[in-house]
Every structure is written in C-alpha cells, then in structure tokens.
Amino acid sequence: MERRGHTFCRYADDCNIYVGSEKAAVRVVESITRYLEKKLRLKVNKNKSKVTKPSAAKFLGYSMTGHKIPRLKAAPGSVRRLKNHIKELLRKGRGRAIRRIIKELGPVITGWTQYYRLATVKNTFESLDEWLRRRLRCIIWRQWKKPKTRAHRLITLGLDAARAHTSAYNGRGPWWNAGASHMNAALPVRWFAKQGLVSFLVRHKSFIHLT
C-alpha cells in the first residue's frame, strides 16, 4: 500500500484505506483482497469489508466529518454505547445521594474522554455534558417526589416562591421538568461543578493541552 501511495491506517488485522473516489476504492478492495487471499493465503471477511465514505465509516471508535478537510470525531455508535452505559449506572443510583452518583461517573467520563482526546469535533462533548446534566436533574426531580417538597427545594435553590410553586405543580413528567427552565435555573452548570461533576468538554480540552 505504501508503494502504491495509499493513505491508510491499521490496527492488528483491521485496516482502512483512503482513496480519491468510489471507483478507485472498488478497484483497491479487489486488488488487496486478491493479494491477501491468493498470495498470503489469508481469509478476508466479506461482511466487514466494504467501500464507503470516510464519514460513514468508523475505526477504533473514531469517525470523520464529511468536510473537504475532514475532522476526527467520536463515532455515533461509540457515543450511543457510552450513553447506554451511563443510563445503566444512573438507573442503579436512583435512590442514592447525587454526590455519590457523580463521584462514580468521574472515572467513566475521564476514561472515555481521554480515549477520544484526538477528536477535534467538540460538539460531541458539549452535547454529552448537556445530556448528562439533564439526566441528573431528572433523578433529582424524582428524588424530591412530592410537589410540596419540589417547591421547597426550588425555593431553597434560589427560585422565587410563585415560580417554584407553579413549576412544582405543573403535572409534567420528570424528563420534561429536567429540561425545563426552572430546573436549569435551580441547578445550573456551576451547581454541578460544585458537586464534583466532571465535564466532558473541559476534560477534553485538558487532554488536548497534554498531547
């Protein structure tokens, strides 16, 4: 591949080859497959081998944007798996103190962000921060249980009495309230930072500076 001038990346027996067009890609797949199977007598997995755009492919959990000069990002499938893992952790921690839940999330956030430190698309990390805070607000809203308790807690967190009571008795579900303005005002970003919540975006920036 080097002699042919192909741009490629490889990890163990997985390899991505990048060429200028779909036609060229089809030709390269056929020639590489022929070489591996006939010359080296190796079996090529036809189900995993395909021709596709770099933005639609993933490699070691990474993907690329569709720009003319592509940017590296965490693959959508990797983000989904992370969210499912976090959902499971949060499901187990519904009856526990929010500080303890946040503490358990720390290593997960740090480890995942460190692995994807090469990603240059920051929107993924911002979206994960927003999604996680809403999940935590949802847990807190459930823990408050009764409207009277919710109103009291909202007032304690700085909302005026009228708004707190209107919000507490709105009859909406936990997920809706977790994304509503009253919960964002009562439990803003700085509140979660004080509780020790690690930010995906902040961690990512810190790892960029270290590389």
Side-chain angles (χ1 to χ4, degrees), residues 29-185:
V29 167
E30 290 175 351
S31 63
I32 292 295
T33 300
R34 188 164 54 250
Y35 175 80
L36 290 171
E37 293 188 333
K38 293 187 177 180
K39 183 76 173 179
L40 301 182
R41 300 184 183 279
L42 298 172
K43 183 66 176 177
V44 175
N45 190 324
K46 299 295 195 301
N47 294 325
K48 292 184 177 180
S49 302
K50 60 183 179 180
V51 172
T52 187
K53 293 181 179 179
S55 58
K58 68 173 183 175
F59 187 69
L60 301 178
Y62 280 90
S63 185
M64 298 183 188
T65 63
H67 300 101
K68 187 174 182 180
I69 301 178
R71 297 168 61 196
L72 209 57
K73 66 177 184 178
S78 302
V79 176
R80 281 195 300 272
R81 284 191 295 273
L82 172 68
K83 285 186 173 182
N84 288 335
H85 179 52
I86 290 177
K87 283 179 184 178
E88 188 60 32
L89 291 176
L90 296 181
R91 197 173 293 117
K92 294 177 180 178
R94 282 179 181 173
R96 290 180 290 172
I98 199 70
R99 275 183 175 272
R100 184 177 175 185
I101 298 172
I102 286 173
K103 185 177 180 180
E104 291 178 357
L105 288 171
V108 176
I109 297 170
T110 299
W112 193 88
T113 310
Q114 184 176 29
Y115 182 82
Y116 290 99
R117 65 187 181 278
L118 299 178
T120 55
V121 178
K122 68 176 185 178
N123 291 351
T124 301
F125 303 96
E126 291 176 332
S127 297
L128 282 170
D129 278 333
E130 293 171 1
W131 173 83
L132 181 54
R133 286 194 296 269
R134 185 170 181 178
R135 281 279 166 187
L136 293 172
R137 290 187 186 107
C138 187
I139 291 175
I140 293 170
W141 186 262
R142 288 179 183 274
Q143 290 178 344
W144 289 345
K145 294 182 179 179
K146 297 180 179 180
K148 184 178 179 180
T149 303
R150 290 167 178 166
H152 173 71
R153 294 286 188 176
L154 290 172
I155 292 170
T156 303
L157 289 165
L159 267 67
D160 64 80
R163 185 183 182 189
H165 280 90
T166 300
S167 301
Y169 288 88
N170 63 32
R172 299 272 191 165
W175 183 246
W176 184 91
N177 278 284
S181 60
H182 55 271
M183 283 297 278
N184 279 273

